[in-house]
Amino acid sequence: MGLRDSPRAEVSPAFLSLTLDASLARDPRYVALLSNSKLRALATALSPGFLRFGGTETDFLIFDPNKDSTSEEKIVWEFQAQQEACGSRPAFAAVERVLLAQWPSQEKMILAEQNRKKHKNTTITKNTLDILYSFANCSGFHLIFGLNALLRKGGLQWDSSNAQALLDYCASQRYNISWELGNEPNSFRKKSGIHIDGFQLGQDFIHLRQLLNNYALYQHAKLYGPDVGQPRKHTRRLLRSFLKSGGKVIDSVTWHHYYVNGQSATRGDFLSPEVLDSFATAIYEVLEIVGQTVPDKKVWLGETSSAYGGGAPRLSNTYVAGFMWLDKLGLSARQGIDVVMRQVFFGAGTYHLVDANFEPLPDYWLSLLYKKLVGTKVLQISLAGANKRKLRVYLHCTSSLNPKYREGDVTLFALNLYNVTQHLELPDYLSSKRVDQYLLLPHGKENILSRSIELNGRVLRMLDDETLPELVEKPLGPGRLLGLPAFSYGFYVIKNAKAIACI
């Protein structure tokens, strides 16, 4: 363990960030669900961070400042105007019940459109933006909004008139937002028949930067992109030419990653060291391109989850998804990815952190523990005596925001892909230290396919709609081996480790 060295890497304080998929606005009535007080309490507990509103639907949303909002959005926004900005909305309950009853069929339609690659334009209104901004702002997140890149003039340049109308409105409301332009430009042709190369997209970003500079509020607003998909051959080419053409105007380089196809993924994929390792290769390929074109730019995972296409049913929303998620967080930080945006906080599919009944799923609790225990500085750690691909360990300084812990404490987190218990033995110089264990195990007879999770033997669930449970550690005496059961993961805070990098 590299406790005497300087940190291997340091990531953003907003390292674990969230997304909402733009498909939530495919019928903007459903955006009104973001006013739910339980959803806001769950989001607030994961703050601070970025909240990216984007996805395929980004490039099919048209803003109409003169159009009347849906009645659901209007009701929410009128209540909001009467109360303090972030108050609760008890009067919305009846409308919410109707929306939730209709959501399953809406979700089917969204996923079917994604599968068929058939997308229709949708109009959003001022209230859509109001509710979205209010959700982010009231939950302690900074909104990143994806603008439609498929609005094109005859000569294929980007038509910025709709973006300008949207910027005019957001500026008039003093909304502090960062911006993106387009989603996965590598598949524009498949989605819309329009092909835009990296050079042209770079020019479009320069145009957007100039547009932002016309607004006092957005002169210093951040711009992120190009939100390309996995680094396959054609995508690598597009990323490289985009960065050469427009890389100077973006603040971080964004790309997307999923391990597997949600339609065909198996339980074995979620537990496969080979599948988990494939992510490290993808990071290397992206960092290589960025290093050769815009070496000073930070790299972000602008959208990421276990399985694309909305997730893998009965897998992405269970305990087993945690192996991909925790390993992705560990590898990203270790390899120098600055921010990781989790697809999705709430919305269609099964890769959400919070389901359609506003119930937090295992990956939600895993994210919460990560936020509370893992700091921004990454430390060196290596393993002797086991296959490091099957027993995967990561080490960070403990989060400086956690009042239970002190400077110099370190957090070890580990995933056991063996089908038997593995014991981690700390090096001699730490054997006298006290350790707090936060072991996460599945709850109930579904075992690793369970949608509920235990922390040190206690089931994690909300106490009421506004109150999260306390995350109670299990203190281990000095000299103990750290036992990690078969197919499980957990965090260990080593107290008083006096790591120089963490002081």
Side-chain angles (χ1 to χ4, degrees), residues 349-418:
T350 52
Y351 51 27
H352 42 213
L353 295 181
V354 178
D355 72 16
N357 303 312
F358 305 119
E359 290 301 330
L361 291 161
D363 272 2
Y364 175 86
W365 298 111
L366 181 54
S367 303
L368 185 64
L369 274 161
Y370 188 97
K371 281 269 183 182
K372 298 285 183 251
L373 299 176
V374 181
T376 55
K377 290 177 178 163
V378 188
L379 305 177
Q380 181 67 40
I381 184 170
S382 57
L383 194 65
N387 177 350
K388 67 177 195 297
R389 298 179 67 202
K390 291 183 78 166
L391 185 61
R392 304 170 80 94
V393 291
Y394 299 96
L395 186 69
H396 283 237
C397 298
T398 302
S399 170
S400 57
L401 303 172
N402 194 320
K404 276 185 195 162
Y405 301 113
R406 298 206 301 249
E407 278 189 328
D409 293 355
V410 296
T411 300
L412 167 82
F413 54 100
L415 305 81
N416 181 10
L417 296 171
Y418 282 97

Side-chain angles (χ1 to χ4, degrees), residues 178-181 205-206 208-209 212 221-225 249-252:
S178 297
W179 305 93
E180 292 178 346
L181 178 60
F205 268 75
I206 292 169
L208 173 54
R209 181 71 265 173
L212 290 170
K222 302 280 193 247
L223 175 59
Y224 304 115
V249 301
I250 58 172
D251 293 281
S252 298

Side-chain angles (χ1 to χ4, degrees), residues 172-353:
S172 75
Q173 301 301 302
R174 314 285 310 151
Y175 288 163
N176 174 20
I177 300 176
S178 297
W179 305 93
E180 292 178 346
L181 178 60
N183 182 75
E184 299 186 0
N186 46 291
S187 59
F188 276 172
R189 185 182 272 156
K190 216 187 303 184
K191 287 180 288 206
S192 68
I194 298 173
H195 172 68
I196 292 144
D197 63 24
F199 174 80
Q200 180 57 51
L201 191 64
Q203 298 306 297
D204 300 333
F205 268 75
I206 292 169
H207 176 151
L208 173 54
R209 181 71 265 173
Q210 289 162 345
L211 185 60
L212 290 170
N213 292 348
N214 296 337
Y215 298 83
L217 185 60
Y218 298 132
Q219 267 167 6
H220 302 292
K222 302 280 193 247
L223 175 59
Y224 304 115
D227 281 284
V228 290
Q230 337 266 52
R232 300 192 179 102
K233 197 170 172 187
H234 149 71
T235 305
R236 289 202 298 267
R237 217 170 31 236
L238 184 138
L239 177 61
R240 189 182 296 273
S241 61
F242 166 81
L243 291 173
K244 281 181 183 161
S245 161
K248 58 185 174 293
V249 301
I250 58 172
D251 293 281
S252 298
V253 180
T254 53
W255 65 293
H256 299 176
H257 179 270
Y258 295 85
Y259 294 96
V260 285
N261 180 345
Q263 302 273 303
S264 55
T266 64
R267 187 181 112 146
D269 292 334
F270 280 74
L271 299 167
S272 158
E274 291 73 29
V275 170
L276 295 185
D277 287 342
S278 66
F279 173 53
T281 312
I283 297 179
Y284 174 79
E285 290 174 341
V286 171
L287 291 181
E288 187 178 41
I289 293 168
V290 173
Q292 291 162 354
T293 51
V294 283
D296 53 327
K297 302 289 182 194
K298 300 262 198 229
V299 177
W300 291 9
L301 261 178
E303 179 195 306
T304 193
S305 209
S306 51
Y308 59 86
R314 295 175 297 286
L315 292 166
S316 291
N317 55 354
T318 71
Y319 178 87
V320 80
F323 292 98
M324 285 181 172
W325 182 223
L326 188 57
D327 197 64
K328 178 165 278 175
L329 291 168
L331 271 179
S332 296
R334 182 185 287 176
Q335 291 194 232
I337 299 286
D338 194 46
V339 170
V340 174
M341 299 196 187
R342 167 62 188 246
Q343 175 87 347
V344 303
F345 175 62
F346 170 80
T350 52
Y351 51 27
H352 42 213
L353 295 181

